Amino acid sequence: MHLARFPRLHFAHLPTPLEPMESLSRALGGPRLWVKRDDCTGLATGGNKTRKLEFLMADAVARGADTIITQGAVQTNHGRQTAAIAAKLGLRCIILLENRVETDDEDYLKNGNVLLDRLFGAELRPYPAGGDMNVAMEPVAEEVRSGGGKPYLIPGGGSNETGALGYVNCAIELTYQANERGLRIDHLVHATGSAGTQAGLVTGFEALNSHIPVLGIGVRAPKAKQEENVYNLACRVAEKLEVRGGIDRSKVVANCDYVGGGYGVPTDGMREAVQLFARHEGLLLDPVYSGKGAAGLIDLVRKGQFSRNDNIVFLHTGGATGLFAYRQTFERGMN
Ligand SMILES: *Cc1c(COP(=O)(O)O)cnc(C)c1O
């Protein structure tokens, strides 16, 4: 596989470290847990969107765009990373923020990612919950065009076949790291939302014949819908890369039992996971994605889903900035 065929800007700090989580593994008495540190991608406190943006922003620049338009929930980590790289490249950045969590909590509406979006000079536009946010970007693009600008639209989470190349790249990187240190990876577990991360990983491992099963822990959609989204995108990525044989549907697996009350709504499992990672590993998860992903991982470990000697890698997709938007959730839940 030859990713260099596609335009790419290099601003992520790569490769991200692959580290053992000895203390947490001991505490759970379970398999050998590892963490792939994509919270350390280097851009504006890091996270998984940075890998996608290397390919998306290269495409934007190649097309001569001067304005980036994207969208997400109010505390979108994708928006924050997009705002940062747009600032660095001297591009205007407009972010449509959907009030998906429907709260009037001041920390949620103004702190965390929102504070950083503003620092990076992004223009933030609020939208009510429930609309099709990718469609909502169209009139904004038209407005930019009529003002003489050249807009480039990035879908929610940067999840299209261009952005997903960032996670094909991660699959190559992780396979190489595992081979270099003689580490057999039995499972890769991560939080899955807009599907680009999982679609890229599945496609990358398939193309490399790595045989590393990927388990996405859902944070929003039910299982059938989430797997369909990931599978459809993976097929498009495989087509773009001309992966022989395409994607086997059975390689796309999501567990959506840990969503709780809905997207961005705290759960007890999330609170416990954030605390366990903090207190055993000094790692910061986030309330919306990696916290729920880790809650799923911890619960499956406790249920005996993995063998004692399995090596399980948790892909840390970042998002700790969001903790500051959920101050009350953690103040109340702390023990
Ligand atoms: C966006 C995001 C995810 C989910 O990745 P997708 O590619 O949208 O599925 C996971 N964790 C964090 C912290 C994120 O910001």
Side-chain angles (χ1 to χ4, degrees):
M1 204 170 22
H2 191 34
L3 280 185
R5 291 187 289 148
F6 304 100
R8 175 178 170 193
L9 298 175
H10 293 261
F11 48 80
H13 295 186
L14 303 178
T16 59
L18 174 62
E19 299 170 341
M21 294 196 284
E22 284 167 7
S23 172
L24 183 63
S25 304
R26 223 176 299 123
L28 294 174
R32 298 191 197 107
L33 299 174
W34 298 75
V35 58
K36 171 70 172 158
R37 298 290 306 274
D38 274 15
D39 57 322
C40 299
T41 49
L43 179 70
T45 75
N48 64 337
K49 305 313 181 303
T50 298
R51 287 186 190 268
K52 302 178 184 181
L53 286 164
E54 287 198 326
F55 290 93
L56 290 163
M57 296 306 270
D59 190 39
V61 169
R63 290 169 193 268
D66 60 13
T67 304
I68 305 297
I69 304 172
T70 195
Q71 58 92 357
V74 172
Q75 285 294 333
T76 169
N77 299 302
H78 161 68
R80 180 238 317 151
Q81 288 160 85
T82 304
I85 192 60
K88 185 173 164 70
L89 296 173
L91 304 172
R92 182 181 173 197
C93 181
I94 306 174
I95 311 174
L96 284 56
L97 296 180
E98 179 193 6
N99 197 7
R100 201 182 289 163
V101 177
E102 295 189 301
T103 175
D104 52 14
D105 182 335
E106 288 269 300
D107 288 315
Y108 185 84
L109 296 174
K110 294 185 178 163
N111 207 340
N113 285 293
V114 178
L115 175 69
L116 301 194
D117 293 344
R118 290 192 198 284
L119 278 177
F120 293 127
E123 298 165 43
L124 306 180
R125 301 194 184 183
Y127 285 74
D132 185 330
M133 295 294 289
N134 283 334
V135 171
M137 290 196 291
E138 286 301 336
V140 179
E142 203 38 58
E143 173 197 316
V144 169
R145 268 183 225 111
S146 61
K150 271 201 92 171
Y152 183 86
L153 276 60
I154 299 181
S159 286
N160 58 18
E161 48 275 59
T162 300
L165 293 178
Y167 272 87
V168 173
N169 185 42
C170 181
I172 296 171
E173 185 181 300
L174 182 60
T175 302
Y176 180 84
Q177 279 174 321
N179 289 343
E180 206 178 32
R181 61 177 80 175
L183 173 70
R184 183 200 71 239
I185 300 176
D186 297 293
H187 279 280
L188 178 65
V189 180
H190 69 94
T192 180
S194 66
T197 300
Q198 192 171 0
L201 288 170
V202 167
T203 309
F205 288 142
E206 189 70 19
L208 292 167
N209 252 320
S210 295
H211 299 287
I212 298 175
V214 178
L215 173 62
I217 306 289
V219 299
R220 188 179 185 188
K223 178 181 168 76
K225 182 74 194 153
Q226 187 65 22
E227 289 187 349
E228 183 190 323
N229 290 347
V230 173
Y231 177 66
N232 289 341
L233 181 52
C235 289
R236 299 210 307 273
V237 180
E239 203 169 303
K240 188 180 175 90
L241 289 168
E242 296 164 83
V243 175
R244 211 175 297 137
I247 302 297
D248 185 349
R249 174 64 185 79
S250 69
K251 300 280 168 67
V252 175
V253 182
N255 179 330
C256 300
D257 294 345
Y258 303 94
V259 178
Y263 175 89
V265 179
T267 62
D268 290 342
M270 178 280 287
R271 271 193 213 95
E272 191 207 2
V274 169
Q275 250 181 52
L276 278 175
F277 271 66
R279 293 179 183 192
H280 285 285
E281 297 294 338
L283 287 173
L284 294 172
L285 301 178
D286 85 281
V288 181
Y289 296 94
S290 54
K292 285 186 179 175
L297 170 66
I298 290 163
D299 188 57
L300 294 172
V301 165
R302 286 176 176 154
K303 284 179 171 155
Q305 177 105 354
F306 309 107
S307 318
R308 252 189 105 80
N309 291 326
D310 277 357
N311 290 298
I312 312 295
V313 176
F314 180 70
L315 174 68
H316 189 338
T317 42
T321 301
L323 289 170
F324 301 102
Y326 282 78
R327 183 173 56 91
Q328 294 192 38
T329 298
F330 291 98
E331 275 181 1
R332 265 186 269 116
M334 210 79 80
N335 52 49

